[in-house]
Amino acid sequence: MKNIFHYLFLIIALASCSPGIISVSEKQFPPVSLINHYEYFNGEHEFNQLGTAFLLKYKNDTFAITAKHILAVLKPDSLKNLTLDNFIKNWTMSALNKQNEIVTTDKLLNEDKNESLKSKTIYQKDWLVFSIKENNAKVIPLEFREKPLVKGEKLYAIGWTRHMKEGNQRVYEFEYYKTKGTHHLMKKLIIPEKMGGLSGAPVVDNDGKLVGIVSNGEFNLFTMEKMLAPVGTIELKAFLDNYLNNKTE
């Protein structure tokens, strides 16, 4: 019995520690990240800004991208479906350090009024895709990486946490471990003290190519550590291919 309690204590101790260094990576990228801002139709709401976003260039079009589960946080239980109707009047984005340079979104392209935001399946395709009405932000749209990831290569999440009030985008460093389902598992190397607010941030490779979107985390029993689990881009790319094909017909 004593050995069992010792083993359980060891698991709890290991699970509670983070192997990543709390800091900012020395790796630099051009400005790419944005913060989400919301104007509601009615009433007072807890969040006027929440989560990170970015622009994505694909083929001959540019889209605004963020995490789907952010909308689940914003909407009350009575309105937990994948639509902005009668809830958010305007969804805009800007860099934290340049809030006068704004991206104004147009339509939520993956709107699905039959999809419940209460379901855990929202993390399987944890992205919102917007067309753009107006773009006055001086950020560089990202592009998809085409080649597969290699175990051990460094990847980077770019953005701000919700506790940050000013300053340039931050870069955090990870190591690719493996892909599990629709998500990549990444070991934490250089991370913020608190990850909240990075949801929707782009995850890029060393060349700045998009490989994922910050989504959630997962505790890995084999390595005994909490890993970042950004959603990959395969399903997002397939969605955009379908959208663009239908658009040209």
Side-chain angles (χ1 to χ4, degrees), residues 109-162:
L109 300 180
N110 62 320
E111 178 185 62
D112 183 352
K113 296 179 181 180
N114 294 318
E115 180 175 348
S116 172
L117 296 174
K118 293 181 180 180
S119 172
K120 292 183 179 180
T121 59
I122 67 169
Y123 288 98
Q124 293 177 3
K125 297 180 181 180
D126 193 8
W127 30 262
L128 298 177
V129 184
F130 293 92
S131 57
I132 297 172
K133 183 183 296 184
E134 188 174 1
N135 179 14
N136 293 310
K138 297 180 176 64
V139 295
I140 296 175
L142 295 171
E143 298 183 26
F144 288 119
R145 166 168 161 153
E146 299 297 336
K147 59 184 180 180
L149 293 170
V150 178
K151 185 175 182 178
E153 74 170 291
K154 287 187 177 180
L155 299 175
Y156 306 88
I158 309 173
W160 297 268
T161 67
R162 61 178 297 189

Side-chain angles (χ1 to χ4, degrees), residues 145 148-155 175-179 185 187 222-223 227:
R145 166 168 161 153
L149 293 170
V150 178
K151 185 175 182 178
E153 74 170 291
K154 287 187 177 180
L155 299 175
E175 180 183 294
Y176 174 66
Y177 179 64
K178 69 176 182 179
T179 297
L185 300 184
K187 296 182 179 181
F222 183 76
T223 62
M227 294 186 174

Side-chain angles (χ1 to χ4, degrees), residues 12 35 77 137 139 156 192 244:
I12 293 170
I35 295 290
D77 286 343
V139 295
Y156 306 88
L244 291 172

Side-chain angles (χ1 to χ4, degrees), residues 29 31 37 54 58 60 101 107-108 110 132 137 144 148 185 195 210 212 215 218 231-232 236:
F29 293 97
H37 305 278
F54 60 95
Y58 186 55
N60 295 319
E101 298 175 5
K107 295 180 180 179
L108 176 58
N110 62 320
I132 297 172
F144 288 119
L185 300 184
M195 299 289 288
L210 183 71
S215 174
E218 180 173 317
V231 65
L236 173 58

Side-chain angles (χ1 to χ4, degrees), residues 40-214:
Y40 299 92
F41 275 103
N42 297 302
E44 294 294 327
H45 295 269
E46 182 178 359
F47 299 106
N48 290 318
Q49 70 176 47
L50 181 69
T52 306
F54 60 95
L55 302 184
L56 174 66
K57 181 180 179 181
Y58 186 55
K59 296 184 176 179
N60 295 319
D61 216 333
T62 301
F63 305 90
I65 310 290
T66 190
K68 185 191 295 182
H69 74 263
I70 290 173
L71 187 56
V73 174
L74 296 175
K75 298 189 80 171
D77 286 343
S78 60
L79 299 174
K80 282 286 196 291
N81 56 338
L82 184 53
T83 179
L84 305 185
D85 283 357
N86 302 315
F87 182 63
I88 293 181
K89 184 177 182 180
N90 290 304
W91 191 313
T92 59
M93 305 168 176
S94 67
L96 187 62
N97 58 337
K98 295 183 179 179
Q99 296 196 29
N100 60 328
E101 298 175 5
I102 297 171
V103 173
T104 304
T105 65
D106 191 9
K107 295 180 180 179
L108 176 58
L109 300 180
N110 62 320
E111 178 185 62
D112 183 352
K113 296 179 181 180
N114 294 318
E115 180 175 348
S116 172
L117 296 174
K118 293 181 180 180
S119 172
K120 292 183 179 180
T121 59
I122 67 169
Y123 288 98
Q124 293 177 3
K125 297 180 181 180
D126 193 8
W127 30 262
L128 298 177
V129 184
F130 293 92
S131 57
I132 297 172
K133 183 183 296 184
E134 188 174 1
N135 179 14
N136 293 310
K138 297 180 176 64
V139 295
I140 296 175
L142 295 171
E143 298 183 26
F144 288 119
R145 166 168 161 153
E146 299 297 336
K147 59 184 180 180
L149 293 170
V150 178
K151 185 175 182 178
E153 74 170 291
K154 287 187 177 180
L155 299 175
Y156 306 88
I158 309 173
W160 297 268
T161 67
R162 61 178 297 189
H163 301 285
M164 296 172 180
K165 304 300 181 184
E166 59 184 6
N168 297 330
Q169 66 184 16
R170 273 68 160 183
V171 178
Y172 300 106
E173 197 168 306
F174 302 84
E175 180 183 294
Y176 174 66
Y177 179 64
K178 69 176 182 179
T179 297
K180 181 179 178 181
T182 59
H183 288 68
H184 304 311
L185 300 184
M186 307 192 312
K187 296 182 179 181
K188 300 173 182 178
L189 299 180
I190 303 175
I191 58 174
E193 183 176 1
K194 296 180 179 180
M195 299 289 288
L198 272 179
S199 292
V203 176
V204 303
D205 65 10
N206 191 62
D207 298 319
K209 297 295 185 180
L210 183 71
V211 303
I213 303 164
V214 174

